[in-house]
Amino acid sequence: MNYTTRIDLGTEQDFQLGELTIRPSLRQAADGAGRSEVVEPRVMQVLVALARADGEILTREALTILCWEGRIVGEDAINRVMSRLRRLSDGVGAGSFRIETITKVGYRLVECGSAAAEPPQTTPAEPKRMATSLSPTRRLVLGAGLLASFGTIGTYAVLWGRSKRHAPSPEAARMMDLGQQALCKCNDEGVSEALGFFRRAVELDPDAPDAWGLLGIGYAYALRETVIDTVEALTLRTKSTVARAFALEPDNPFAQEAIYTLIPLLGRWKEADSSYRAALGRHPDSAYLVFGYGRRLASTGRMRESVNQLDRAMRFFSPSPGLMVNHLWSVWASGAIDEVDRAIERAFALFPLHAWIWFARFYMLMFSGRAHEALAMGENVGGRPPDIMPAGFELPMASARALNTHAPEDIERAMRMHLESARQGSGRAENAMNFASAIGRLDQAFEIAGAYFFNRGYAIPDSRFGDPQRVATSLSERRTLLLFLPPAEAMRRDPRFPALVGELGLTQFWRESGVPPDYQRV
């Protein structure tokens, strides 16, 4: 392959990639059913470059020469292009190909179902692995010492050698393990990588229910932070994949978590709670079910129970930003002040540049009387998450400055910015509601809440923060957790709060379950 000539889309010939027909000159990918998608020029250039490599690894340096004319390009730019390609595969591509990340080397394109689908051995296997189903025996097997002794394939051999359940083939087990490691990245690229590994696992061993269940989890988790235009496709794929897992094993715990994740967050409180409790009664050490139930408990204000579940999940799983940030919110809302500081510093030490952890630490400092420390964080430009554009820090910094100075002009400026921002996305509205409550602007806090949960007064877009993230929180998935965080304490004391939680269906759920939320017990 010539690594010195820039790819000119106008002169590239059409080619086939699985079920897709790729037309570079039109920047179009079309399937056999007549569906098509037009992609950005840079994305198409990278796809052509990877396809030209014919299954070989293409380094980042080679990509910059072929697609960026040799300019210095940050990792976030390349990562965003790879994420777009993975979305293309998940969407109109229907899994026709996958993009593999070869850590510290580059990327390669694998056409699913092709003979070249064997992943290279350069993928590192050293990081601590995520437990798949956590009976006491498996927790012992998945200890660090035995992992070092057995490696991935050996670990699964021991696990399944003591079980009467279907034992996945060694290579399928390795794909399942790598997929779970990728999920721990807790970003769009990680989910896309995980889906590629899980798809390969079911190709290698189509009779492995855990592989199908994990693929279902991958699709379902993608729905929580998904690209807006693939929600329906991902929902259908989750359901069909779960159905395949249940056909092989009717009570598969991975498939249980995948299907319960599809239960809308708002309105079906009792169904979700009873489903998780019943499943955990049968699978008390299923790590995914433990984690999923912990998140559901937090959404109903039962924070101490949520902390207990997420504490267990922390023991089961390798550390990951998603697990740790959910644990942080629940600990913070439970009122365990000392534990909050320990937990946030532990998470920040492990993932200082991950956006979820960085902003969690920033807001916890800002809303706990330490706005000056939050400002110091934000002013350290080199310590900011690299995947967030500079404009993304302007409103958080204005908020911290207002809570630090308490100057009327600073508060007015920040509140005005929040009110404008709230209309632009669901994540922005969450931040605006918390800030308004924290500074005592309760009329505005409840106005934002009405729009956020019910589109009352004005409609808040599903998109959380707008491009380039393009992730969404639909109306049925709006996050009640924020109603139980410390910044919303003034809202909880307001006489309008019972009407709000009543309209959300929480009051009825608390009454029927006989378990009130923490804030009603204190």
Side-chain angles (χ1 to χ4, degrees), residues 340-362:
V340 171
D341 285 344
R342 287 195 295 270
I344 190 62
E345 294 311 319
R346 185 166 58 243
F348 191 66
L350 288 171
F351 305 103
L353 297 180
H354 196 285
W356 294 1
I357 300 299
W358 193 95
F359 279 107
R361 184 174 188 259
F362 183 92

Side-chain angles (χ1 to χ4, degrees), residues 33 47-48 61 65 104 144 173-174 178 208 238 249 270 302 313 323 359 370 381 406 448 478 497 500 506:
L47 180 59
V48 170
E61 291 76 11
I65 294 170
K104 297 183 179 180
R174 194 171 83 88
L178 290 172
T238 304
E249 183 182 35
K270 185 176 180 179
R302 291 158 59 179
L323 174 57
F359 279 107
R370 292 173 286 180
V381 176
H406 300 287
I448 296 167
R478 297 291 164 90
F497 194 74
L500 174 61
L506 284 167

